[in-house]
């Protein structure tokens, strides 16, 4: 038997550290996700640009990963209509870098086909790289690419992606590009007529409605399945979550996980007071951290800021 | 006598004359001219009153002045000593000698004593003759001891003497000698010491000074100024120093040069850097080689020798032959006997030790240690070129398992080989690690660390579904420059203009993996295929050609195969990929097979072309099949390319029309 502990003065003590239980992260498919999938695929045959936007933690990336996985599972090489999808997250390509369009194409190639030879990259024009990337897409049957955090791309970088799409269309290969982001992505896209004109669908991910929050609760914590929204207590729970987690599914999921670790009995529905306490525990420290950070930067004391209402 | 002393004594004399009695120092000070005061102030760090007091006291000690201590203020007088209390000339001479020896801290020559008496206001009533007689008498009575006889003393005397009760070490006695000859010798020695330091710093022989350099040094010493008015005197002194029964220096006459050089008698010519004194270009080049070897710590290429020549123009060949030509000739083991035959060279100053990267390396000896140094350098160069550290890192976890295993096992073999080579070298030269050999411990450590890393990664890599060899085949196919031109010459504008295959090397040397040529005989062989020390590795060349000059399909396949294969060329690790369930993995396998070639893989490619369910993959396999060697004739019109959108059809047409490797790469 091996003890994890220290030996102090001849006494061996056992550690009381406990690891958290691993839990399966189940994906909860929501109506928003299905809607995004349907609307994106509806325009796919036109080789569109689709823009997905919405706040952080609202489920955009989860939806993209879900769709990519479903498409891969459904792919059948004998099905002429079948294709594959790729999802990747871009790194920042600001306006001031040299040849941002080429860099964007290189990023696309790296993420979806494989590493691009540096010598080939340097010696090739953006058009050559676009052609090479499209050839790779063809060989791998890739017709849909999710470009996540596209808000980090400059306008010229996005034009690089558009070049690839144009090349694909020219070669008779369908290629849909989904630009996913928050930031100023919608403004960026609209500022460029060349890009904006190719956008065939806008999907704005909104916060969950009460019914969707309830569905999420029921998926995350089975005891809620025996209850409904007509129940006043449940309405209070849903309202609390809507208010404190801003109807964002990512935050709701995270909160419920934290909440469940405080429950004595997992077969019970939590008390609203407990939910409030769990929320305040995090919220209070977040506020304290923010105040302290601001104080250090502005050389004001915490009391000063508090008295100023900061 | 020093000017300041004279001025003070004159002031005292004037003050005493005015007062008609012994006078105080303050009165003497008051009597001084302002210019005298300024001179005193400048000459000494002490204040003027203090300087005057010390000078007056000094002369009291010497018996020049008397002092009246009974009065309130110390008073000085010149004439207070009664005649009967005055010492004899002999005694006063002895006193003067003692004072001079005390003051100078060494024994003296007669000339030194006279100088001292004059400079320090000594017993000026004694004239030279009296002093000379007194010294001789004192030596006879052994009140004075002769410590050394000095050559060439002349009017300064030949005896170096001091009071018998004084004790001096040898060094002090040596330094006391101050004849003209000794002075010139001292100047020469100072020049020589400086040049010795310079030579040590520059890691070369000492450059002996000429007469002008000695003259410059001697004049800077500030003695014997009158001697320099006649330049011949210095030359005569140097000749005299070289011509005595026990010469201290020697002259060096260089052929074709007027000016003499001078060196200490005990220093041989071999230890000197005689510059233009080299008899031939071979000697110059040999000297340059020697210096380069010293700097580098082992055999050196021509570039290092040239660098030494660039630093010292004296080493430049005087004739029209190039450095390369002189080196090559000097390294030959036989020479023309003048009658059409060649005989063994008797004295080999330059040795060709070997070549690294087509650069010949030379040394002044070909002993065991030299050869080990060269060997170490060659292994180190190979180690650097193989870039095993970077290659280990480039094996990514998401690579198909067979490729990961193949590449890691290949690197393990290479690392073990290097480890063995390093260890053998270390065992052979454990006591003598210089130059390249001093880096052996670091190289061994790096090798060992990498090997451990590779072993660990192999342990963590899952087994492949099929059995794969533990030791991958490391043999590769190399192309000569001529073959490179045949295969891809027409693709590249730079290569198209090449007539001589040797011109290919500098164009591709840095970008294509080069492997040793098993058919290499020697660099000067008439057949270029045998002269070439290295070949261009075929797969790497084809991938580069695809990237640089190839069509889209070629570029795509090269993009897939190059990061996948690395330096792995064993087809047995690619075969499983071609049979994998995942189309993406088969695609990588197809690309690798296309560039590796070989009958075994070609057969599988053929099978894929005909039977793979994925039409896109069939298209890629088609291209790869034509790229691979040993492929059979294939009627592309029979192929089913259902669902494959254009330009696959175009590719098929292009393949049908392709008549060369270059044509295929253009697709």
């Amino acid at each position: 038997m091996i003890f994890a502990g220290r030996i102090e003065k001849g006494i061996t003590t056992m550690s009381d550290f406990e690891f958290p239980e691993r839990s399966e992260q189940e994906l909860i498919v929501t109506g928003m996700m299905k809607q995004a999938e349907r609307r994106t695929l509806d325009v796919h045959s036109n080789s569109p640009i689709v823009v997905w936007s919405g706040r952080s933690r609202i489920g955009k990336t989860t939806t993209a990963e879900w769709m990519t996985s479903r498409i891969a599972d459904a792919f059948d090489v004998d099905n002429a209509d079948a294709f594959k999808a790729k999802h990747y997250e871009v790194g920042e390509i600001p306006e001031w870098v040299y040849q941002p369009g080429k860099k964007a194409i290189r990023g696309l190639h790296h993420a979806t086909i494989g590493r691009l030879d540096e010598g080939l990259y340097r010696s090739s024009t953006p058009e050559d790289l676009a052609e090479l990337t499209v050839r790779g897409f063809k060989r791998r049957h890739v017709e849909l690419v999710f470009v996540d955090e596209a808000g980090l791309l400059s306008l010229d970088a996005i034009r690089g992606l558009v070049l690839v799409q144009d090349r694909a269309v020219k070669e008779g290969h369908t290629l849909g590009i989904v630009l996913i982001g928050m930031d100023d992505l919608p403004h960026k896209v609209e500022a460029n007529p060349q890009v904006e004109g190719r956008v065939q669908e806008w999907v704005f991910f909104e916060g969950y409605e009460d019914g969707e929050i309830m569905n999420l609760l029921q998926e995350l914590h089975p005891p809620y399945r025996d209850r409904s929204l007509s129940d006043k207590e449940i309405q209070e729970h849903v309202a609390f979550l809507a208010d404190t987690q801003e109807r964002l599914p990512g935050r709701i999921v995270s909160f419920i996980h934290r909440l469940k670790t405080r429950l004595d009995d997992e077969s019970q529905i939590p008390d609203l007071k407990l939910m409030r306490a769990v929320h305040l525990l995090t919220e209070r420290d977040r506020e304290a951290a923010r105040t302290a950070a601001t104080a250090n930067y502005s050389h004001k004391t915490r009391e000063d800021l508090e008295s100023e209402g900061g | 006598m020093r000017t300041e002393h004279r001025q003070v004594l004159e002031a005292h004399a004037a003050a005493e004359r005015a007062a008609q009695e012994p006078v105080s120092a303050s009165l003497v000070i008051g009597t001084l001219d302002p210019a005298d005061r300024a001179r005193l102030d400048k000459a000494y760090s002490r204040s003027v009153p203090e300087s005057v007091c010390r000078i007056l006291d000094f002369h009291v000690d010497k018996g020049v002045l008397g002092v009246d201590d009974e009065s309130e203020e110390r008073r000085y007088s010149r004439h207070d000593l009664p005649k009967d209390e005055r010492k004899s000339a002999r005694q006063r001479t002895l006193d003067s000698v003692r004072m001079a020896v005390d003051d100078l801290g060494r024994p003296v020559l007669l000339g030194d004593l006279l100088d001292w008496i004059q400079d320090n206001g000594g017993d000026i009533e004694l004239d030279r003759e009296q002093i000379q007689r007194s010294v001789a008498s004192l030596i006879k009575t052994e009140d004075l001891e002769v410590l050394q006889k000095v050559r060439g003393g002349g009017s300064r005397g030949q005896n170096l003497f001091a009071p018998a009760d004084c004790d001096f070490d040898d060094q002090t006695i040596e330094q006391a000698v101050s004849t003209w000859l000794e002075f010139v010798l001292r100047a020469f020695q100072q020049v020589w010491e400086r040049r010795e330091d310079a030579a040590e710093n520059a890691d070369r022989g000492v450059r002996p000074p000429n007469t002008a350099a000695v003259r410059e040094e001697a004049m800077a010493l500030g003695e014997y100024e009158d001697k320099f008015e006649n330049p011949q005197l210095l030359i005569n002194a140097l000749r005299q120093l070289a011509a005595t029964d026990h010469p201290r220096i020697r002259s060096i006459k260089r052929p074709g040069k007027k000016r003499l050089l001078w060196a200490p008698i005990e220093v041989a010519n071999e230890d000197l850097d005689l510059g233009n004194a080299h008899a031939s270009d071979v000697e110059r080049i040999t000297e340059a080689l020697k210096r380069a070897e010293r700097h580098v710590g082992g055999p050196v290429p021509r570039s290092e020798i040239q660098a030494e020549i660039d630093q010292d123009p004296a080493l430049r060949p005087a004739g029209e032959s190039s450095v390369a030509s002189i080196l090559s000739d000097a390294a030959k083991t036989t020479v023309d006997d003048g009658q059409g035959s060649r005989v063994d060279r008797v004295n080999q100053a330059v040795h060709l030790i070997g070549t690294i990267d087509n650069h010949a390396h030379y040394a002044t000896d070909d002993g065991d240690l030299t050869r080990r140094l060269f060997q170490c350098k060659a292994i180190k160069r190979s180690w650097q070129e193989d870039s095993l550290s970077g290659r280990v890192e480039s094996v990514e976890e998401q690579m198909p398992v067979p490729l990961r295993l193949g590449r890691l096992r290949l690197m393990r073999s290479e690392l073990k080989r290097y480890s063995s080579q390093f260890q053998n070298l270390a065992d052979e030269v454990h006591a003598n690690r210089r130059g390249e050999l001093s880096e052996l411990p670091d190289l061994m450590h790096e090798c060992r660390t990498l090997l451990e890393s590779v072993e660990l990664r192999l342990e963590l890599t899952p087994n492949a579904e099929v059995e794969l060899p533990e030791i991958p085949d490391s043999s590769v196919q190399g192309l000569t420059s001529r073959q490179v031109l045949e295969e891809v010459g027409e693709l590249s504008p730079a290569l198209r203009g090449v007539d001589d295959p040797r011109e290919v090397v500098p164009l591709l040397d840095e970008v294509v993996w080069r492997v040793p040529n098993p058919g290499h005989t020697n660099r000067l062989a008439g057949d270029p295929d045998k002269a070439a020390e290295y070949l261009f590795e075929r797969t790497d060349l084809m991938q580069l050609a695809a990237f640089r000059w190839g069509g889209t399909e070629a570029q795509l396949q090269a993009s897939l195969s190059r990061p996948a294969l690395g330096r792995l060329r064993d087809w047995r690790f690619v075969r499983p990929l071609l049979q994998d369930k995942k189309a993406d993995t088969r695609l990588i396998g197809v690309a690798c097979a296309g560039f590796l070639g070989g009958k075994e893989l070609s057969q599988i490619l053929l099978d894929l072309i005909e039977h793979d369910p994925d039409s896109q993959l069939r298209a890629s396999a088609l291209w790869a099949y034509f790229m691979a060697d040993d492929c059979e004739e294939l009627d592309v019109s029979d192929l089913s390319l259902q669902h494959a959108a254009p330009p696959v059809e175009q590719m098929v047409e292009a393949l049908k029309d392709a008549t060369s490797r270059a044509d295929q790469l253009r697709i």
Side-chain angles (χ1 to χ4, degrees):
Chain A
M1 185 190 251
I2 297 171
F3 295 109
R6 291 183 308 179
I7 298 178
E8 282 183 350
K9 296 181 183 174
I11 300 170
T12 304
T13 57
M14 285 188 64
S15 170
D16 58 358
F17 180 82
E18 280 186 32
F19 289 97
E21 258 184 49
R22 293 189 196 278
S23 58
E24 282 288 321
Q25 296 285 339
E26 275 206 43
L27 177 68
I28 298 164
V29 179
T30 64
M32 185 74 236
M33 288 164 70
K34 290 178 187 169
Q35 196 190 121
E37 181 189 62
R38 189 180 63 251
R39 290 168 65 188
T40 301
L41 293 179
D42 279 349
V43 294
H44 176 71
S45 57
N46 300 330
S47 290
I49 290 180
V50 178
V51 178
W52 287 8
S53 63
R55 290 185 58 190
S56 171
R57 307 295 292 156
I58 206 158
K60 303 185 296 296
T61 300
T62 304
T63 305
E65 287 172 347
W66 171 70
M67 272 187 71
T68 302
S69 174
R70 275 167 57 79
I71 290 169
D73 289 343
F75 179 78
D76 178 358
V77 73
D78 291 323
N79 181 355
D81 296 328
F83 60 87
K84 290 181 185 171
K86 292 282 185 183
H87 168 259
Y88 77 105
E89 196 171 307
V90 300
E92 187 179 6
I93 300 179
E95 286 290 349
W96 50 263
V97 302
Y98 181 63
Q99 294 187 315
K102 251 180 99 167
K103 284 193 166 53
I105 298 174
R106 178 172 64 179
L108 177 65
H109 193 286
H110 279 183
T112 58
I113 299 167
R115 190 153 286 276
L116 194 57
D117 180 76
E118 185 64 24
L120 181 62
Y121 170 75
R122 285 175 194 267
S123 60
S124 299
T125 62
E127 290 74 19
D128 291 339
L129 292 180
E131 186 179 343
L132 182 65
T133 304
V134 168
R135 181 65 64 95
F137 283 161
K138 276 191 196 171
R139 291 288 178 262
R140 291 182 179 230
H141 302 277
V142 172
E143 291 188 14
L144 183 61
V145 177
F146 294 95
V147 183
D148 211 337
E149 300 294 349
L152 296 174
L153 296 175
S154 67
L155 211 46
D156 283 331
I158 293 174
R159 284 201 196 101
L161 301 180
V162 169
L163 180 63
V164 174
Q165 191 185 55
D166 286 349
R167 185 73 209 188
V169 168
K170 189 176 171 187
E171 292 193 16
H173 180 76
T174 305
L175 180 64
I177 295 178
V178 179
L179 300 176
I180 303 172
M182 26 180 275
D183 300 314
D184 61 346
L185 177 63
H187 290 308
K188 210 173 271 178
V189 168
E190 286 191 324
N192 183 349
Q194 184 200 16
V195 176
E196 201 257 342
R198 285 169 166 76
V199 177
Q200 297 186 27
E201 182 63 271
W202 292 79
V203 179
F204 181 67
F205 284 67
E206 289 178 296
Y208 281 7
E209 298 291 342
D210 287 356
E212 287 174 316
I213 293 176
M214 183 63 189
N215 289 341
L216 194 53
L217 270 177
Q218 287 172 334
E219 290 294 329
L220 292 170
H221 191 51
Y224 276 102
R225 293 176 193 170
D226 300 331
R227 310 287 287 272
S228 73
L229 258 181
S230 56
D231 191 323
K232 192 164 181 294
E233 186 189 10
I234 301 304
Q235 284 174 10
E236 285 174 346
H237 285 198
V238 168
F240 175 80
L241 288 173
D243 179 42
T244 58
Q245 309 308 317
E246 298 177 89
R247 297 183 179 275
L248 298 173
R251 290 182 59 175
I252 293 172
V253 168
S254 163
F255 175 79
I256 297 299
H257 277 299
R258 287 204 311 275
L259 180 64
K260 283 170 72 170
T261 62
R262 268 82 167 178
L263 292 175
D264 293 326
D265 182 1
E266 283 215 15
S267 66
Q268 298 298 317
I269 286 180
D271 187 70
L272 187 60
K273 284 195 189 63
L274 179 63
M275 292 173 78
R276 196 174 293 125
V278 169
H279 171 71
L280 275 173
L281 196 65
T282 305
E283 198 57 27
R284 183 193 63 186
D285 280 2
R286 186 172 84 127
E287 192 54 42
R290 195 165 63 193
T291 304
T294 310
N296 289 336
Y297 179 75
S298 65
H299 305 291
K300 291 181 182 174
T301 66
R302 185 177 172 176
E303 287 74 21
D304 291 337
L305 289 166
E306 284 175 355
S307 67
E308 288 171 8
Chain B
M1 183 186 293
R2 282 187 74 155
T3 305
E4 292 83 15
H5 284 236
R6 190 176 64 248
Q7 285 164 350
V8 169
L9 289 174
E10 282 172 4
H12 172 266
E16 192 180 26
R17 192 174 300 117
Q20 295 294 311
E21 61 179 10
V23 292
S24 64
S26 56
L27 190 58
V28 174
I29 292 166
T31 309
L32 284 168
D33 287 339
D36 293 343
R37 288 170 66 96
R39 191 186 179 94
L40 273 168
D41 190 35
K42 193 174 169 186
Y44 300 105
S45 57
R46 298 180 288 271
S47 65
V48 169
E50 201 180 336
S51 299
V52 168
C53 287
R54 286 171 80 96
I55 292 171
L56 291 171
D57 286 339
F58 178 73
H59 289 285
V60 166
D61 291 340
K62 289 189 333 187
V64 173
L65 295 176
V67 66
D68 177 11
D69 285 324
E70 287 178 11
S71 58
E72 214 173 276
E73 200 177 13
R74 195 171 164 90
R75 292 167 184 265
Y76 302 87
S77 167
R78 193 178 181 80
H79 301 294
D80 276 354
L81 291 174
K83 211 171 173 70
D84 57 350
E85 288 181 12
R86 295 181 78 172
K87 298 171 183 174
S88 66
R90 193 170 176 277
Q91 184 59 45
R92 281 149 60 197
T93 300
L94 182 59
D95 288 344
S96 295
V97 170
R98 194 177 293 284
M99 281 191 288
V101 165
D102 281 347
D103 190 31
L104 295 173
R106 60 171 175 84
V108 294
L109 294 171
L110 180 64
D112 295 334
L113 178 63
L114 294 170
D115 286 342
W116 186 89
I117 290 172
Q118 186 177 8
D119 288 346
N120 294 279
D123 197 331
I124 55 178
E125 291 185 12
L126 289 173
D127 61 17
R128 181 191 173 90
E129 217 175 290
Q130 277 180 299
I131 292 171
Q132 199 163 356
R133 281 202 301 273
S134 299
V135 166
S137 166
L138 288 163
I139 289 172
K140 235 183 222 175
T141 58
E142 294 180 356
D143 291 297
L144 290 177
E145 183 187 352
V146 175
L147 298 169
Q148 187 171 314
K149 290 271 189 196
V150 173
R151 87 191 86 228
S155 59
R156 293 190 68 78
Q158 289 184 348
N159 294 329
L160 187 71
F161 56 86
D165 56 358
C166 289
D167 201 13
F168 294 100
D169 57 37
D170 290 348
Q171 188 179 2
T172 308
I173 293 169
E174 278 299 316
Q175 285 171 352
V177 175
S178 59
T179 61
W180 166 243
L181 275 187
E182 297 293 342
F183 168 77
V184 169
L185 180 63
R186 184 155 44 100
F188 167 79
Q189 284 168 339
Q190 282 181 198
V191 174
W192 182 260
E193 277 168 19
R194 241 191 344 269
R195 290 186 177 214
E196 253 184 337
D197 290 340
E200 193 177 326
N201 288 339
D203 208 13
R204 54 166 171 76
V206 184
R207 287 188 181 150
N210 57 18
T211 307
V214 178
R215 184 193 311 283
E216 194 181 331
E217 182 73 19
M219 287 174 75
L221 290 174
E223 298 173 39
Y224 294 97
E225 288 164 2
D226 54 326
K227 296 280 193 183
F228 295 107
E229 290 168 12
N230 181 358
Q232 192 60 39
L233 292 179
L234 184 90
I235 298 169
N236 292 344
L238 286 168
R239 283 183 177 153
Q240 226 172 322
L241 286 167
T244 63
D245 290 340
H246 302 283
R248 300 284 294 275
I249 64 174
R250 63 185 179 90
S251 63
I252 300 168
K253 182 90 173 75
R254 294 166 293 165
K257 299 284 179 183
K258 282 186 186 173
R259 294 188 181 187
L260 288 176
L261 302 177
W262 304 94
I265 193 69
E266 68 275 12
V267 178
N269 274 1
E270 292 75 41
D271 296 324
L272 299 175
D273 177 1
L274 295 176
N276 291 341
H278 293 294
S280 66
D281 285 343
V282 172
E283 280 189 29
R284 293 187 184 90
I285 298 304
T286 306
E287 175 62 24
L289 169 59
K290 225 187 273 185
R291 293 183 196 177
E293 263 188 297
R294 268 202 300 265
H295 284 137
V296 169
V300 294
R302 181 163 53 85
S303 57
E304 294 286 347
I305 300 169
Q306 183 65 53
E308 293 295 336
I309 294 170
D310 292 341
Q311 291 230 358
D312 187 351
L315 296 177
R316 275 190 209 131
E320 290 180 359
S321 300
S322 65
V323 171
S325 175
I326 298 169
L327 269 172
S328 178
D329 277 340
K332 287 180 180 152
T333 52
T334 59
V335 292
D336 193 330
D337 66 357
Q339 291 165 359
S341 306
R342 293 194 75 82
V343 295
D344 288 341
R345 191 189 285 272
V346 174
N347 294 314
Q348 185 103 19
V350 174
H351 298 265
L352 172 62
I353 304 299
T355 57
I356 297 174
D357 292 345
N358 275 329
H359 295 296
H361 280 60
Y362 300 92
T364 50
D365 77 273
D366 66 345
D368 264 350
L369 180 61
T370 300
R371 294 211 168 265
R372 296 278 175 263
L373 286 165
F374 174 77
Q375 194 184 359
C376 184
K377 187 171 182 177
I379 297 173
K380 191 177 137 191
R381 179 75 186 123
S382 174
W383 169 259
Q384 285 166 345
E385 279 204 336
D386 278 344
S387 312
L388 277 152
S389 175
R391 285 166 55 198
V392 170
E393 285 174 21
S394 68
V395 178
E396 295 173 348
E397 294 306 307
Q398 55 266 35
M399 269 182 193
V401 167
L403 286 180
R404 244 191 293 163
L405 285 174
R407 288 177 66 172
L408 289 171
R409 286 177 184 172
L410 180 66
M411 282 188 273
R412 180 175 58 185
S413 301
E414 289 180 55
L415 285 165
K416 282 183 176 175
R417 177 171 54 81
Y418 274 113
S419 182
S420 172
Q421 285 177 331
F422 289 142
Q423 189 61 54
N424 287 343
L425 260 179
D427 290 341
E428 283 166 10
V429 294
H430 67 95
N432 199 350
R433 300 235 179 107
R434 64 177 175 90
E436 299 282 351
L437 291 169
S438 63
E439 295 180 37
L440 257 184
D442 288 339
L443 289 168
M444 289 168 73
H445 175 74
E446 192 183 342
C447 182
R448 199 167 41 242
T449 308
L450 270 176
L451 185 55
E452 284 168 5
S453 167
V454 166
E455 297 277 21
L456 179 62
R457 290 193 64 180
L458 277 168
E459 271 181 42
L460 297 173
T461 303
N463 289 325
E465 288 173 7
V466 295
E467 186 125 0
L468 293 169
E470 276 301 311
I471 302 177
D473 182 4
S474 59
S475 59
V476 296
Q477 188 183 352
L479 299 179
T480 62
S481 299
R482 187 175 42 80
Q483 288 168 326
V484 167
L485 285 176
E486 283 168 7
E487 289 277 301
V488 300
E490 61 180 269
L491 278 175
S492 155
L495 289 176
R496 268 201 291 272
V498 167
D499 292 322
D500 185 350
R502 281 176 295 193
E503 292 172 40
V504 171
V505 174
L507 289 173
L508 299 178
D509 188 29
E510 298 287 322
V511 294
V512 177
W513 179 21
R514 302 194 70 198
V515 295
N517 177 8
H520 168 66
T521 51
N522 72 80
R523 289 168 57 236
L524 303 174
D527 182 353
D529 290 352
K530 290 182 181 167
E533 199 179 337
Y534 294 96
L535 300 174
F536 294 97
E537 200 275 326
R538 186 193 167 278
T539 299
D540 202 50
L541 174 72
M542 290 301 156
Q543 288 169 338
L544 177 86
F547 282 138
R548 284 205 177 167
W549 312 300
T552 309
E553 187 67 32
Q555 285 182 348
L556 177 66
Q557 301 251 10
S559 291
L560 293 173
S561 70
R562 202 177 213 195
L565 279 174
R567 284 198 179 176
L568 182 65
R569 298 292 183 260
D570 190 336
W571 63 271
R572 294 172 292 180
F573 291 87
V574 173
R575 182 173 51 186
L577 274 65
L578 296 170
Q579 293 152 346
D580 196 273
K581 291 186 295 248
K582 292 191 205 154
D584 283 354
T585 305
R586 294 200 302 279
L587 199 62
I588 294 173
V590 160
C592 293
F595 284 99
L596 280 182
K599 202 185 264 310
E600 300 85 359
L601 292 176
S602 298
Q603 286 299 315
I604 305 176
L605 284 173
L606 194 58
D607 189 57
L608 287 176
I609 291 166
E610 291 172 345
H611 301 117
D612 194 280
D614 190 321
S615 61
Q616 292 293 338
L617 197 130
R618 292 202 301 274
S620 283
L622 187 65
W623 183 90
Y625 182 76
F626 275 83
M627 266 300 293
D629 269 341
D630 299 325
C631 60
E632 295 166 3
E633 289 269 342
L634 185 69
D635 184 359
V636 297
S637 61
D638 286 345
L639 293 176
S640 163
L641 293 167
Q642 194 179 20
H643 305 311
V648 173
E649 281 87 1
Q650 290 166 20
M651 188 176 77
V652 170
E653 287 303 310
L655 282 168
K656 277 159 70 175
D657 294 337
T659 56
S660 67
R661 179 76 66 226
D663 286 342
Q664 289 157 8
L665 283 169
R666 282 198 190 94
I667 296 168

